[in-house]
Amino acid sequence: MRLGTEPLMQNNDQVGDCRLLPHDQTTTPRRDDIMKDKLNDNIPDRRGRFANNYFDGLPVRGVHRLLFFLIMAAYFFEQFDNWNFGFIAPSLTHSWNLKPADIATILFWYFIGMTSGGFLGGVVSDFIGRRKTFLISIVIFSISSIITGYTDNFVVFTLFRALTGFGVFCMMVTSQAYIAEMAPCESRGMWQGRVAAIGFCAVPVVALICRLVIPMDPEAWRWIFYAGGFGLIAFILGLKYLKESPRWLVSHGRVQEAEEIVRYLTGKDIDLSDAAKLVQPKISVMEVLTGMFTKKYIGRTLLLMLIFVCITPAGFLLTTWTTQLLNMFGFTVHETLTAMTVISIGVPFGCFINSLVSDKGGRKTPMIVLMLLAAIFAFTFGNMKSLVLLTVAGFIITSVNMALSFSLFSYTAESYPTRMRNTATGFHNGLARLSVSASQPLIPLIYHAFGFMGVFTSVAILFFLPMIPLILWGRRTSGKSLEEIE
C-alpha cells in the first residue's frame, strides 16, 4: 500500500477527514472498500498494526495530554521571564536612575537575543531534535534570569537579559513546530491555544507578584528575576517525560523510534512505514532559506514576513512599553502596576479565545478578524485619558493581540514541510524580533513628538497593514494534515 493524499469517505463514527490513509488504486473495489472500513473502524491489518498518519484522527488520551501539560509548565516559566521586565522597568528606572534611552538599550539587546534565538533555535532543533533544543533553552533563560537579578552592573544586566531573550525565543520557536507535529490535525490550533492559555497565566501572576513585591523595597525587583529560575523545574520534568517529535525522527530515518513514541502516546500500534515514504531528503540550512523563496513557497514566505514585521513590533510595544508609557503619561507606579495587572489577564484570556476560534475559517478568517479588532482597539487605547477606560481597552487589545499571535504561530508551522518547518519558523520569528529591536529606539522619539496617542496610533496602523494582503493571498490551512498542506 502507498500513502495517498485524498481522504477516504468516512462513516458517521470517524473522527475527521484529515488523516492520510493508505489507498491502492490497483486493488479491486471490494478489497479497497474492506480496507477503508478497517481503517475507519481502527481495525488492524494482517500484521496486527494500524496504518495512520502519526496522530491524525486519534483521540488525545491521558499520557498524550501529559506531554502538552509539560509544555504548558515550560511556557509558564518562559513567559514569566519574558514579561517580568515590562513590570519591573519603572522600579529599575528609579533604582538605577535610568533614562528612557537606557530602557530602550536594554530592550534593543533583549530583542537581538530573541532574534538570535529565533534563527538558531529553528536551525538547531532541525539538527539535534525538538526535545533537546527545548530543554537546553529552558536552562539558558532560567540561569540567565537569576544572574540578571544578582548583578549591579548595567552592561552585565543587559548581556544576561539578552541571553534570557535568546533562551525564551529559542524555546518558543521550537515549541511552535513541536506542538504542530505532536497534535492531531483536527485539534492542532486548539492545543496551541490551550498550551499558550495556561502558560501565559504567568503574565497576570508576574504582574500581581510585582504589584505586591516591588513596593516593599527599591531593590525588591531582584526577587522577580530570581523567581524566573524556577523554570529549571520544567527542565527536570522534561528530562523524563518529554518525547521527541515522531515526524522529526522519521525525517531522520528513525522510523522504529517514532513508532514507539506514537504507540506510547496513543496506545495503538501505528505503522509509519507509508508515512516515511513521503519524507523528502534532508536539506541544509542554506537550502531551506533559499527554498523559502522558490516559486512554490515565495508567496507564503513574503506574506508571512509582512505579517510578522508588522504585528510583532505592535504587540511587543504593548507588552514591554505600556507600563513605562503610562508612568510617563502621569500615572504613579502604584496606579500603573494595578492597571497592568488587570490588563495582563488578557494574555491567557486571549490564548483561550484563540483555542476556540483558531481552527475555524481555515485559520485565515480568524486572523483577518483579529487584525481588524486589534487595530480598532489600539487606536481607542491611545485616545483614552481615564485610567479605568485605559485598563478596559488595554485588556481587550491584549486579548486580541495574543489570540492573533498564536493563530499566526500555527499558521506559520503549517506553511512548510517537516524538513523546512523549524528553520523557516525560526527565520520568520527571528526576522520579527529583529524588527522589534529596530523599533525600540523609535518609541521614545515617537512619544516625545506625538505623545501617548501617537504611539498607539502607530500600533493600530501596524495591525491593519497586513490585513488586505492576507485576504487576497492567504491560504487556508486548519483541519488539514501537515503532509496534505504540503
Side-chain angles (χ1 to χ4, degrees):
M1 294 186 296
R2 65 181 176 83
L3 205 59
T5 57
E6 313 89 14
L8 297 177
M9 295 296 293
Q10 299 168 334
N11 58 34
N12 293 331
D13 298 327
Q14 197 170 346
V15 177
D17 68 350
C18 47
R19 284 181 293 169
L20 296 184
L21 302 178
H23 181 66
D24 190 343
Q25 297 177 345
T26 64
T27 58
T28 64
R30 177 175 176 77
R31 181 184 175 190
D32 192 47
D33 290 340
I34 293 173
M35 181 56 67
K36 290 178 184 179
D37 291 338
K38 285 184 177 182
L39 288 165
N40 289 343
D41 295 332
N42 284 324
I43 299 174
D45 61 19
R46 293 179 180 178
R47 297 170 295 169
R49 308 189 71 195
F50 298 91
N52 201 334
N53 187 47
Y54 303 95
F55 305 104
D56 294 344
L58 300 176
V60 179
R61 67 192 195 112
V63 68
H64 199 171
R65 291 174 183 268
L66 178 62
L67 183 142
F68 290 120
F69 292 150
L70 178 58
I71 302 173
M72 291 176 191
Y75 252 88
F76 182 92
F77 293 113
E78 176 215 35
Q79 292 307 312
F80 190 99
D81 288 349
N82 184 33
W83 288 69
N84 55 17
F85 183 79
F87 301 104
I88 290 169
S91 179
L92 181 67
T93 298
H94 292 297
S95 178
W96 283 6
N97 295 317
L98 300 180
K99 300 177 181 179
D102 296 320
I103 297 297
T105 298
I106 295 171
L107 290 171
F108 172 82
W109 287 108
Y110 179 72
F111 287 110
I112 287 294
M114 293 188 88
T115 300
S116 302
F119 283 129
L120 293 180
V123 173
V124 171
S125 64
D126 276 341
F127 182 67
I128 68 173
R130 318 316 194 201
R131 178 181 180 273
K132 290 180 181 178
T133 309
F134 192 90
L135 295 174
I136 292 171
S137 301
I138 295 174
V139 173
I140 292 174
F141 69 70
S142 298
I143 293 178
S144 296
S145 181
I146 295 172
I147 297 174
T148 302
Y150 181 78
T151 186
D152 287 312
N153 185 281
F154 180 82
V155 174
V156 174
F157 181 99
T158 303
L159 172 63
F160 280 94
R161 185 61 189 162
L163 283 174
T164 301
F166 178 90
V168 161
F169 209 61
C170 188
M171 197 199 93
M172 176 70 79
V173 168
T174 304
S175 64
Q176 290 172 25
Y178 184 66
I179 296 172
E181 293 173 356
M182 298 299 285
C185 64
E186 304 89 353
S187 56
R188 206 161 44 227
M190 182 196 73
W191 280 111
Q192 287 274 19
R194 284 186 178 180
V195 168
I198 299 300
F200 276 90
C201 284
V203 182
V205 168
V206 71
L208 180 60
I209 291 175
C210 288
R211 169 68 180 79
L212 297 174
V213 174
I214 287 178
M216 292 181 179
D217 187 87
E219 297 290 305
W221 54 266
R222 296 183 184 276
W223 292 99
I224 309 301
F225 285 121
Y226 295 153
F230 284 116
L232 293 172
I233 296 174
F235 167 76
I236 294 171
L237 293 173
L239 286 175
K240 182 175 182 180
Y241 296 110
L242 199 68
K243 305 300 180 183
E244 184 55 83
S245 163
R247 280 184 166 92
W248 182 85
L249 290 170
V250 169
S251 71
H252 285 71
R254 297 157 64 177
V255 179
Q256 185 176 353
E257 293 177 57
E259 291 176 339
E260 290 174 358
I261 291 174
V262 175
R263 184 184 307 118
Y264 171 77
L265 294 176
T266 66
K268 295 185 180 295
D269 189 7
I270 301 297
D271 182 357
L272 296 178
S273 57
D274 285 321
K277 296 175 183 177
L278 289 182
V279 175
Q280 297 182 7
K282 291 182 288 185
I283 55 179
S284 68
V285 174
M286 187 56 62
E287 288 176 310
V288 173
L289 295 177
T290 55
M292 291 169 61
F293 295 92
T294 58
K295 182 179 180 180
K296 183 174 184 178
Y297 296 107
I298 189 169
R300 69 188 76 174
T301 296
L302 293 177
L303 177 61
L304 286 169
M305 287 173 63
L306 175 64
I307 297 173
F308 269 107
V309 299
C310 286
I311 73 167
T312 308
F316 270 97
L317 191 154
L318 291 167
T319 61
T320 57
W321 276 97
T322 302
T323 306
Q324 185 73 11
L325 291 174
L326 286 174
N327 188 234
M328 294 165 63
F329 194 53
F331 297 106
T332 66
V333 173
H334 181 275
E335 290 173 330
T336 299
L337 287 175
T338 300
M340 289 305 297
T341 299
V342 176
I343 290 173
S344 66
I345 298 173
V347 175
F349 182 75
C351 294
F352 175 72
I353 293 299
N354 171 67
S355 71
L356 300 179
V357 305
S358 181
D359 289 318
K360 302 180 185 301
R363 195 91 62 212
K364 170 182 173 179
T365 301
M367 289 175 61
I368 293 168
V369 174
L370 291 168
M371 284 178 184
L372 180 60
L373 291 174
I376 292 172
F377 282 101
F379 182 77
T380 302
F381 185 81
N383 286 274
M384 294 292 182
K385 303 296 182 184
S386 164
L387 184 61
V388 174
L389 294 177
L390 278 165
T391 302
V392 173
F395 172 84
I396 295 173
I397 188 175
T398 299
S399 301
V400 173
N401 174 56
M402 293 307 300
L404 173 60
S405 296
F406 275 85
S407 292
L408 178 58
F409 291 158
S410 297
Y411 193 62
T412 306
E414 292 164 344
S415 296
Y416 299 96
T418 299
R419 71 187 189 281
M420 296 174 63
R421 184 169 299 118
N422 256 24
T423 299
T425 300
F427 169 83
H428 286 295
N429 283 279
L431 179 65
R433 267 51 185 185
L434 186 61
S435 67
V436 176
S437 298
S439 71
Q440 295 309 299
L442 300 177
I443 296 170
L445 299 177
I446 295 174
Y447 179 82
H448 287 301
F450 303 103
F452 191 81
M453 181 181 68
V455 172
F456 287 96
T457 298
S458 301
V459 171
I461 293 171
L462 287 172
F463 277 123
F464 183 79
L465 279 176
M467 194 173 70
I468 302 302
L470 180 59
I471 292 173
L472 296 176
W473 297 297
R475 303 169 71 241
R476 295 176 179 270
T477 60
S478 68
K480 299 179 180 180
S481 165
L482 295 177
E483 288 72 21
E484 183 183 351
I485 297 169
E486 162 60 13

